[in-house]
Amino acid sequence: MSNNILNWKNNRDMFPEADEDGKPIVDLESQKYVKVWQGPNHPGVTGNMSLELTISGDEVMEAKTHVGYLHRGFEKLFERRRYIQCFPTCIRMCVPEPDINEYNLARGTEVLGGIEVPEMANWIRMLVLEMARLQVLLRMVPGQAGTMGLGLAGTWGLYYRELILDRFEELTGGRIYHMFILPGGVRGLLPDGFKDRLEENLVKVEAFMKDVDRLIYTNAVFKKRTKGIGVIPADWVDEYGIMGPVARAAGFERDVRKDYPYLYYDQLDFGYNIAHNSDVFDRFIVRRHDVDTTVDLIRQILNKMPKKGDIKAETPNVLHWKIPKGETIIRCESSRGEYLFYMVADGSIYPRRINLRGPSYTHAVAVLEKLLINANISDVSAIMVSLATCPPEIER
Amino acid sequence: MSIKDVIVPFSAWRKVFDKPVTIKDPINERPGADRYRGFHKNDLETCIGCGTCEVICENEAIDLVPVEGIETKDGDSGLRPRVDYGRCCWCGLCVDICTTGSLSLTNAYTWVEEDPEKYRFTPGVDEKPWDNEEKGWKKPEPNYEFYNLKRVTMEHLHPEERSDSFIEMVKGYSKEQAEKEADRCVECGICTATCPAHMGIPEYIKAIRNNDLEEGLRILYDTNPLPEICGRICTHKCEAVCTIGHRGEALSIRWLKRYIADQNPSEKYKTILNSEFIEKNGKSIAIIGSGPSGLSAAHYLALMGYEVTIYEKLPHAGGMMRYGIPEYRLPYDQIDKDIDYILSLGVKILYNTTIGKDITLEELGKKYNAVFAGTGLHLGRSTRIEGSDHKNVYQSIELLRKITLGEEIDLAEKMIVIGGGNVAMDITRSIARLQMKKYGKAGVIATSLETEDKMPADREEVVEAREEGAIVDPGWAPQHIEIVDDKIKGLHVAQCHSLFDEEGNFNPQCNLDNLKFFEGTMVVESIGQGMDLSYLSDDIKHELEIDKRGRIKVNEDFQSGLPWLFIGGDIIQGPDVIHGIANGHTAAKGIDTFLFKESK
């Protein structure tokens, strides 16, 4: 990491000098620098994470990501739980979009355990995943401007998110933690009239997104605050493993749903949402287009999915379901990018290891620390939110 | 950036005229969705306290606690789940796995309480405002199960293959079948509590899942020294209460037990069970009768180091298991496998020795430190209807014994069996086989007082009897046997509409308007067995407490009024193999305690 700072292409004159290891020498006594902690409790920080910023005037000289405030240790908890018992736990690794965890865990268990999931269950899984993406984007797209003091759209967005949560409540019995996709299938069929009610909501969402366009994306202040800020050079994308909307904003066609289709995504018609400037604005605009894509995908899924079918495959008794020895990698596209589970089974009823590799692991540590250098302190939150950092992915 | 970017955001003011979306009174105006995973509800009547919810709860929020007013009984642990809302995450796995379907989540989601202790409550017992709420999370649609509700089918010989032979008809499970069946167990232990011998059923089923059949055998022998026999003909009270049986088919516990016993070769038994060397304690015990209780007592006493001698009246050991149960249900070589192991522990057995004739009980009492009597029920009971004293009216027990001894029994082309129990089915099916062999056609009618749904015989026995060509026509009370010229013509019966009077005493009532006549030239009575206590001399009888119905009183260790005489098995508990085994085990421990105290 520190080497990267040394290799920084820009003029380093304004940065503190570095020692032999490349660690900046910040002489706080010189009164030239001030250390500021942003977080762990800060409105601009997404979750329990903090940034240790060394600033000179308004500008960030050095940034350091600190995690360790969650105290949960999900991956350790999995090792002492049966596969079925992991599924109410794994969702807690991402509160806004829990379903990706459920899907990865279920799919991994099925792959290792050799279970074939019924077609209907897979369509419902896809619907749930897209609904989850929509509700997280509905909070994020209008809400991102909140980091720049434009909180209004974010407040409106919450209502439209609630509409999708209502549908979740109807379908899964839960609003935030749906606990719906479990090893073997899903926990229910669509209720009567669900499709129509969801369609009504989608129409409302589409109308609302026009308001968001007017309020945020056609907004001089927003544009001024986001354009040309936090630019991620294209050569970073592969170097750092940047993914999802952040990579797409840099002009890369990266989407697990298209690159490595899972479920029935190969039967759906959608494209990559791409931008080229790779600044905060472009990342936000890619997400804005993602909303449209997601709404469209939900409609396609609703039209294509069968009316009836089995929701769960026959599995061994979940209380002593021994998964044969093996390992697998399962990935899906979350709203933040590629979301990956590495699962190892040792032939017992408990998983040997379930390892999560989410996009925030690079976005919020390696990329953010580097991106913040030379940034204005008032842009720190905007840059961070544009990377969609999620601390539980780092500290799981 | 243009002037548009400055003006357009002001369109937000339009929202001022929109209707607010906030729900003013959410508690009343916004109930939870139909499937909402809200607060717990439990139907106490349906719940059996199996504790599966407790096992699956990943937060350890559920504890099974005793509840006032709910008694522990067969098939009900008497416990009910208590939920701790400080730990619960409302995932609903407890509902999805609930074996009886009693647990559900309502769609209630608001609850305010001052006392934090109140958030740990027992649904169904502690009254809650949502107790009558119908909506909420229930177990999803069909085909959504956490375990298999269907039994792995046990393969039987085809009726055509078995109808004229005494070859064992149940084929037994293969490894795959046994492991699949064992996988269905939820390890609740309701079966263990119900089993008279309290066998470690979930444990040995687990051993099957782990493919550790030696461990399985050790678990079997902890409580039951006759697993081959019990694995075939046990009355499986465990299966009647199996928690999976509430919504699906109960586990085939009996066949799984048989699987373990079948898979372990007898020559390895001593090594597996670690019984190669037993330290003798120098005391000797006599056992009368080599039935289940006698063998069980002999096994456990021998393991404790006693010199055990069994006195058996008949030429082979096994008692009613050998002489009462037909070979197609329990092959003799399997009986021998269990008995040979017990004999290999140093147990001596004296065949063709009748107590009271060859040696008296008093002599045994003097010769041995203690005596255990498990003489069983070997006398047939008669219906005492008109004509039942005819020479062609037989007792099922006698006939079964003759079949085992290889003696020829009298047969006719048309025979009638009176009785609806398992013994009646045994003799019916044995006769059907013999008739098939002799006449090429089965011609036996079994009739009983009880209607088909109340017949004490196992359901499969009735079905299989019919498959083999026998006619089972229950619900008729025998009236008299028609005899013309000293030859039986048949049996007159009347429809039986109730068996017990209001006080619960046996008092069959019949409808004499609905009569029927069963044609047949021989009648077999199979309406229960009685005990033969002729080996007890008057002096001994005087010492024993015998109640009005002729039963001998014993304490919980099966010790009779005479301290050195222990009595158990069918004569105390009624006809049942597993009770006999349990009695024998308890008596063995009782004898050991008694002799230990005496030696002090």
Side-chain angles (χ1 to χ4, degrees):
Chain A
M1 185 65 244
S2 42
N3 281 328
N4 287 327
I5 293 172
L6 275 183
N7 298 335
W8 185 239
K9 289 173 203 130
N10 294 359
N11 180 10
R12 273 200 58 87
D13 290 351
M14 61 178 297
F15 294 103
E17 278 180 36
D19 63 10
E20 282 175 7
D21 298 331
K23 206 177 165 209
I25 305 161
V26 180
D27 183 10
L28 293 173
E29 296 288 309
S30 71
Q31 300 197 346
K32 209 174 153 189
Y33 309 106
V34 180
K35 264 203 194 291
V36 176
W37 284 79
Q38 179 155 323
N41 301 313
H42 186 277
V45 176
T46 50
N48 303 356
M49 180 180 115
S50 72
L51 291 170
E52 182 190 355
L53 305 172
T54 308
I55 55 169
S56 172
D58 272 359
E59 287 193 36
V60 178
M61 298 289 110
E62 194 196 356
K64 197 113 192 68
T65 302
H66 288 271
V67 290
Y69 303 99
L70 280 161
H71 312 295
R72 290 195 272 194
F74 300 109
E75 289 182 354
K76 195 72 197 163
L77 288 175
F78 292 149
E79 291 170 23
R80 297 285 179 276
R81 276 165 166 72
R82 293 174 172 98
Y83 285 86
I84 192 83
Q85 291 175 318
C86 290
F87 109 106
T89 307
C90 73
I91 48 175
R92 277 149 233 279
M93 291 201 291
C94 182
V95 184
E97 197 180 5
D99 310 76
I100 44 173
N101 296 292
E102 290 177 18
Y103 168 72
N104 276 1
L105 179 88
R107 189 73 204 119
T109 312
E110 287 150 10
V111 167
L112 291 170
I115 299 288
E116 199 66 50
V117 182
E119 192 192 351
M120 184 67 188
N122 272 341
W123 281 102
I124 297 178
R125 280 180 179 190
M126 211 151 66
L127 178 69
V128 168
L129 289 178
E130 287 309 314
M131 279 168 66
R133 194 190 317 281
L134 181 60
Q135 59 92 8
V136 78
L137 287 171
L138 278 175
R139 203 177 72 142
M140 201 169 185
V141 172
Q144 61 205 352
T147 55
M148 287 152 253
L150 259 167
L152 184 60
T155 324
W156 293 351
L158 284 181
Y159 168 65
Y160 295 93
R161 175 172 177 260
E162 290 292 310
L163 292 179
I164 304 298
L165 295 188
D166 281 351
R167 297 291 78 76
F168 265 122
E169 183 182 336
E170 208 182 317
L171 175 64
T172 68
R175 292 180 72 80
I176 305 293
Y177 290 139
H178 309 130
M179 307 195 230
F180 195 64
I181 301 171
L182 82 176
V186 291
R187 290 173 91 185
L189 282 169
L190 305 190
D192 292 339
F194 178 81
K195 207 174 147 181
D196 299 336
R197 287 189 290 277
L198 183 55
E199 178 56 36
E200 274 172 37
N201 296 155
L202 294 181
V203 172
K204 280 188 183 178
V205 165
E206 280 177 324
F208 165 66
M209 289 319 287
K210 296 216 165 65
D211 284 343
V212 175
D213 285 344
R214 279 193 287 272
L215 194 62
I216 298 177
Y217 292 99
T218 328
N219 186 329
V221 179
F222 183 76
K223 283 184 175 174
K224 267 252 183 255
R225 291 288 306 272
T226 54
K227 285 207 166 175
I229 305 287
V231 178
I232 296 177
D235 57 334
W236 284 21
V237 173
D238 282 339
E239 197 183 334
Y240 285 88
I242 290 171
M243 39 202 147
V246 183
R248 292 202 289 274
F252 285 76
E253 291 192 337
R254 294 273 162 89
D255 191 328
V256 183
R257 289 173 295 175
K258 280 195 86 70
D259 303 340
Y260 308 97
Y262 52 101
L263 295 170
Y264 301 132
Y265 277 109
D266 49 354
Q267 297 179 28
L268 302 180
D269 179 28
F270 65 106
Y272 299 97
N273 295 318
I274 298 233
H276 294 284
N277 295 329
S278 194
D279 56 7
V280 174
F281 184 82
D282 271 15
R283 294 198 276 278
F284 284 171
I285 204 84
V286 163
R287 291 205 179 87
R288 166 67 188 88
H289 295 317
D290 277 357
V291 177
D292 292 343
T293 309
T294 306
V295 169
D296 183 44
L297 283 179
I298 292 176
R299 286 196 176 123
Q300 287 186 38
I301 293 166
L302 287 176
N303 289 332
K304 286 195 172 176
M305 72 191 295
K307 300 271 174 298
K308 273 184 188 146
D310 279 348
I311 49 169
K312 190 172 170 291
E314 197 181 293
T315 61
N317 187 339
V318 293
L319 292 180
H320 21 253
W321 184 2
K322 284 183 190 154
I323 305 284
K325 268 186 195 175
E327 54 183 0
T328 185
I329 283 178
I330 299 295
R331 54 180 149 196
C332 68
E333 180 76 11
S334 74
S335 62
R336 303 180 297 282
E338 181 187 276
Y339 202 78
L340 184 143
F341 265 37
Y342 170 56
M343 286 176 69
V344 184
D346 60 359
S348 74
I349 57 171
Y350 304 117
R352 177 68 195 85
R353 179 96 167 92
I354 296 178
N355 178 265
L356 158 70
R357 206 279 190 186
S360 300
Y361 195 73
T362 44
H363 290 184
V365 185
V367 178
L368 184 64
E369 283 182 358
K370 196 168 162 187
L371 209 54
L372 287 182
I373 291 170
N374 210 7
N376 191 300
I377 189 164
S378 61
D379 294 333
V380 171
S381 292
I383 293 171
M384 189 167 127
V385 170
S386 77
L387 296 173
T389 57
C390 180
E393 282 172 22
I394 311 162
E395 186 205 348
R396 60 269 160 182
Chain B
M1 218 156 314
S2 63
I3 188 76
K4 195 179 154 204
D5 289 340
V6 178
I7 296 164
V8 168
F10 287 97
S11 64
W13 283 104
R14 283 191 308 136
K15 285 265 175 188
V16 171
F17 304 104
D18 283 4
K19 245 173 90 181
V21 292
T22 311
I23 299 168
K24 278 184 188 157
D25 181 6
I27 293 173
N28 297 315
E29 289 173 18
R30 193 177 176 312
D34 289 2
R35 267 188 208 170
Y36 190 75
R37 296 193 307 266
F39 301 139
H40 286 76
K41 196 169 91 167
N42 191 15
D43 180 2
L44 291 186
E45 296 298 312
T46 320
C47 181
I48 55 161
C50 69
T52 316
C53 46
E54 186 187 21
V55 176
I56 202 165
C57 182
E58 60 127 10
N59 299 313
E60 293 170 12
I62 298 179
D63 284 313
L64 270 275
V65 293
V67 164
E68 216 175 298
I70 294 177
E71 295 276 313
T72 304
K73 54 177 189 270
D74 281 355
D76 186 348
S77 70
L79 306 173
R80 292 295 179 263
R82 182 184 67 186
V83 191
D84 182 353
Y85 275 2
R87 307 185 73 118
C88 179
C89 75
W90 292 275
C91 62
L93 283 181
C94 48
V95 176
D96 288 8
I97 203 166
C98 181
T99 52
T100 57
S102 69
L103 207 59
S104 62
L105 298 176
T106 63
N107 67 346
Y109 62 93
T110 48
W111 177 24
V112 181
E113 201 81 65
E114 268 180 9
D115 181 6
E117 287 299 318
K118 292 239 167 105
Y119 288 98
R120 191 165 53 221
F121 73 107
T122 313
V125 177
D126 301 331
E127 277 185 27
K128 296 289 169 219
W130 57 82
D131 279 350
N132 295 320
E133 190 57 72
E134 285 302 317
K135 288 176 177 174
W137 183 263
K138 290 177 184 71
K139 195 196 282 284
E141 285 85 347
N143 301 333
Y144 177 94
E145 292 298 342
F146 281 181
Y147 38 77
N148 205 331
L149 290 179
K150 284 229 169 80
R151 231 175 222 221
V152 177
T153 321
M154 171 56 84
E155 285 173 39
H156 288 64
L157 285 184
H158 193 269
E160 277 175 20
E161 290 174 274
R162 67 179 198 243
S163 61
D164 62 347
S165 97
F166 280 81
I167 296 173
E168 183 170 25
M169 53 174 289
V170 178
K171 288 183 176 173
Y173 277 143
S174 69
K175 182 171 181 286
E176 289 73 28
Q177 287 174 322
E179 283 178 6
K180 196 169 172 216
E181 181 66 13
D183 184 64
R184 300 169 59 217
C185 176
V186 291
E187 301 182 329
C188 62
I190 296 270
C191 43
T192 300
T194 307
C195 174
H198 303 302
M199 295 193 73
I201 295 164
E203 289 79 18
Y204 70 67
I205 291 181
K206 188 178 180 181
I208 295 177
R209 281 200 304 274
N210 294 340
N211 195 23
D212 187 356
L213 298 180
E214 296 190 356
E215 175 63 17
L217 193 73
R218 281 190 284 272
I219 297 166
L220 292 182
Y221 268 87
D222 277 349
T223 45
N224 184 343
L226 302 170
E228 285 284 11
I229 295 166
C230 258
R232 284 173 168 79
I233 49 99
C234 182
T235 43
H236 55 74
K237 299 178 192 326
C238 47
E239 292 182 23
V241 297
C242 177
T243 176
I244 303 292
H246 283 260
R247 291 188 308 110
E249 293 170 332
L251 253 86
S252 305
I253 300 172
R254 180 171 61 170
W255 301 140
L256 290 175
K257 179 161 55 204
R258 170 180 161 172
Y259 170 75
I260 298 179
D262 277 355
Q263 297 304 312
N264 281 297
S266 50
E267 57 271 17
K268 273 183 151 182
Y269 268 34
K270 286 196 116 178
T271 326
I272 298 169
L273 299 170
N274 195 21
S275 57
E276 280 158 297
F277 178 74
I278 301 165
E279 202 179 335
K280 295 281 173 202
N281 62 11
K283 287 175 186 161
S284 58
I285 313 284
I287 288 173
I288 309 171
S290 65
S293 62
L295 287 170
S296 168
H299 171 262
Y300 292 107
L301 286 166
L303 283 185
M304 289 177 213
Y306 291 94
E307 261 331 315
V308 183
T309 312
I310 301 179
Y311 291 82
E312 172 57 51
K313 188 167 144 187
L314 290 160
H316 289 288
M320 201 55 100
M321 301 181 295
R322 187 187 295 269
Y323 293 100
I325 293 167
E327 199 183 357
Y328 63 85
R329 275 178 69 200
L330 179 57
Y332 302 137
D333 56 338
Q334 301 303 334
I335 305 180
D336 290 338
K337 187 179 173 187
D338 280 348
I339 294 176
D340 285 349
Y341 169 68
I342 296 174
L343 297 184
S344 76
L345 300 175
V347 174
K348 279 194 233 69
I349 184 156
L350 301 172
Y351 297 109
N352 301 315
T353 312
T354 312
I355 305 301
K357 208 164 87 188
D358 300 318
I359 185 167
T360 63
L361 189 56
E362 285 86 344
E363 283 171 318
L364 286 183
K366 278 176 201 139
K367 197 171 162 193
Y368 295 95
N369 295 81
V371 176
F372 175 79
T375 48
L377 306 171
H378 285 264
L379 288 185
R381 277 201 195 131
S382 172
T383 50
R384 291 190 211 132
I385 54 170
E386 191 192 323
S388 65
D389 48 359
H390 189 272
K391 67 176 171 37
N392 278 351
V393 176
Y394 296 88
Q395 289 295 326
S396 58
I397 285 299
E398 284 169 28
L399 292 186
L400 287 167
R401 189 184 307 144
K402 279 187 177 171
I403 293 172
T404 302
L405 289 168
E407 291 172 19
E408 190 91 356
I409 66 162
D410 298 333
L411 270 185
E413 278 190 62
K414 283 190 174 167
M415 295 174 73
I416 301 160
V417 174
I418 304 171
N422 279 329
V423 180
M425 288 302 118
D426 285 346
I427 189 64
T428 306
R429 296 174 66 185
S430 295
I431 288 175
R433 280 169 165 76
L434 294 171
Q435 283 174 328
M436 199 69 163
K437 269 188 194 171
K438 196 168 171 184
Y439 308 113
K441 163 167 162 283
V444 56
I445 298 170
T447 182
S448 68
L449 284 173
E450 301 90 351
T451 48
E452 183 137 1
D453 52 324
K454 287 184 184 140
M455 271 174 86
D458 290 342
R459 182 72 208 143
E460 68 246 31
E461 287 278 329
V462 179
V463 173
E464 286 162 7
R466 284 179 177 149
E467 284 173 358
E468 288 157 11
I471 297 163
V472 183
D473 192 353
W476 301 96
Q479 297 299 310
H480 68 274
I481 296 169
E482 190 178 318
I483 299 169
V484 179
D485 297 342
D486 203 27
K487 274 186 184 157
I488 295 177
K489 287 287 169 202
L491 175 72
H492 285 278
V493 290
Q495 193 192 23
C496 178
H497 57 78
S498 80
L499 284 178
F500 298 95
D501 62 16
E502 283 165 7
E503 285 158 22
N505 295 323
F506 184 68
N507 186 11
Q509 296 297 319
C510 38
N511 176 7
L512 292 174
D513 295 335
N514 191 354
L515 298 170
K516 205 170 180 177
F517 177 70
F518 293 125
E519 212 182 312
T521 50
M522 276 174 68
V523 176
V524 181
E525 292 176 312
S526 182
I527 56 157
Q529 295 101 268
M531 58 186 102
D532 177 11
L533 295 178
S534 56
Y535 61 91
L536 299 176
S537 65
D538 289 342
D539 289 348
I540 287 180
K541 273 189 182 160
H542 186 69
E543 300 272 340
L544 303 176
E545 272 185 71
I546 301 179
D547 69 11
K548 273 185 236 162
R549 293 175 66 199
R551 290 205 169 176
I552 305 165
K553 221 171 166 196
V554 288
N555 69 7
E556 70 271 16
D557 284 339
F558 298 94
Q559 192 173 23
S560 69
L562 277 171
W564 53 268
L565 181 60
F566 288 70
I567 302 173
D570 288 359
I571 43 175
I572 301 295
Q573 293 267 357
D576 182 16
V577 173
I578 191 69
H579 265 114
I581 292 170
N583 292 177
H585 193 180
T586 317
K589 287 187 274 191
I591 290 170
D592 190 48
T593 317
F594 161 67
L595 294 179
F596 178 73
K597 277 185 194 158
E598 209 181 40
S599 65
K600 267 192 165 177

